[in-house]
Amino acid sequence: MSETELLPENDGAQLDEDDRLKPEFVRAVLDAVEAGDAEGARALVEPLHPADIADLFELTPADCRAALASAITDLLDGDVFAEMNDYVREDLIDSLSASQVADIASELDTDDAVAIIEDMEPADQREVLRALDPDDRAAIEEALSYPEESAGRLMQRELIAVPEHWRVGDVLDYLRTHDALTTDFWEIFVVDPAHKPIGTVALSWILRTPRGIAISDVMQREQTLIPVDMDQEEVALRFQKYALISAAVTDTGGRLVGMITVDDIVHIISEEASEDILRLSGAGDGDINEPILLTVRTRITWLVVNLGTAMIAASVVGAFQGQIARFALLAVLMPIVSGMGGNAGTQTLAVVVRALATNQLTSSNTARMILREFRIAAANGAMLGVLVGTGTYLAFGNVGLAIVIAMAMVINNLIAGLAGVLVPVSLERAGVDPAVSSAVFVTTMTDVMGFLSFLGLATLWGLGG
């Protein structure tokens, strides 16, 4: 009996308890592809949800993806590509013809089609656009004209908009008689003669309201409008703040040009959160499917920057090499001060960058945040100072050394707390993404001040003299 026969359809053999594809299932599909059994591979993959098929490609080695795609071509629809990892999708699309990419894009909402086409080479992009029908091509070209990561790129143009003078019955008849209308929507937008949105009506209201009632009498006039050039991170914050399911997107003239739905926002929130965390560490996109050379180039840039800051800290240590030579215990203990300061600074930095990203920290409460973190740093520094000072005295029996390291611990924790707030806030006000550059500055300050405070106090105290 073959391995393929051991995995019948729809019996739970594909996914584990965490809804992840089982290794043995992935292996069975790849074995079928390798053996030239396209029918067997297709039979295994067909029951999967489009998101799981996308996961299958991500779990498949890069050099086997083209063969897998060839074996299950008819299952590779737009929904699968829309769920696929960006790098995997880009790699797979490179193996498809322009007409195949155009066929896939034509099945998708505008926002998903744009996500597929926008990363292609300009020549390939033009070829795909030429293969699309005029209406789809015009919509996608318009979307591509907006800045990356803006509402214009994120929005979909497939929506339902009706004039304010219609009655509920008119809307119902319109929805039932026009087959070309989008089928995925939660609310209907009401527009004036200039096509500017003036309100929304939830589907539940339409279904439960008598046909003769005017739309203007049941619509909700209060609505959140999204400017077409708004950054996607700000869009996500509005969806979170106002608990939106969908929102109208307007152009510079205030006309309705599209809508954004909550399913797109879920992806954006996840992407932006991951992006900020990875930028703090200088790890780039952090995607395991990212090309190795691109990952190396991204990481080495920040490692070189960190090398420079490490040399600055080393120069501070070098200035006290005579004192260290006379009292070697200083060399043993000084990494504790700088290391604990770095950890404290990272904690504050993570909190502040998140607060800036979610608009919790603004100019109106910055002073309060600085005072809050100063008090936290003072309390933590005092407790750590007592703990480290006591441990140093018990280990080495030197009262002066214990007092010096305790004082240095307090000073560096205060510096770390202040730097963790002031550095990202200053960068954000200067128009620089605090998630990208803050960690380097904060780490440099805690290292330099950790060494300087400990070695400087040791010199003033006369340790080793």
Side-chain angles (χ1 to χ4, degrees), residues 292-309:
I292 291 178
L293 290 179
L294 180 59
T295 302
V296 170
R297 186 166 64 247
T298 302
R299 294 188 187 182
I300 196 63
T301 300
W302 286 106
L303 290 175
V304 169
V305 172
N306 287 332
L307 177 62
T309 61

Side-chain angles (χ1 to χ4, degrees), residues 159-166 188-201 215 219 223 248-250 254-257:
L159 53 81
I160 307 295
V162 301
E164 58 181 317
H165 66 267
W166 276 14
I188 293 171
F189 299 101
V190 184
V191 295
D192 64 13
H195 207 67
K196 295 181 179 181
I198 59 173
T200 62
V201 184
I215 283 293
M219 72 179 184
Q223 61 177 319
V249 181
T250 56
R255 292 179 297 273
L256 177 66
V257 292

Side-chain angles (χ1 to χ4, degrees), residues 82-120:
E83 297 287 347
M84 202 172 284
N85 173 275
D86 291 346
Y87 293 106
V88 174
R89 181 174 60 209
E90 184 178 348
D91 181 47
L92 194 57
I93 284 177
D94 286 342
S95 65
L96 302 177
S97 67
S99 60
Q100 288 176 305
V101 177
D103 288 341
I104 292 168
S106 64
E107 298 175 8
L108 299 171
D109 289 333
T110 310
D111 55 328
D112 292 325
V114 169
I116 289 177
I117 295 174
E118 65 182 348
D119 293 327
M120 300 179 70

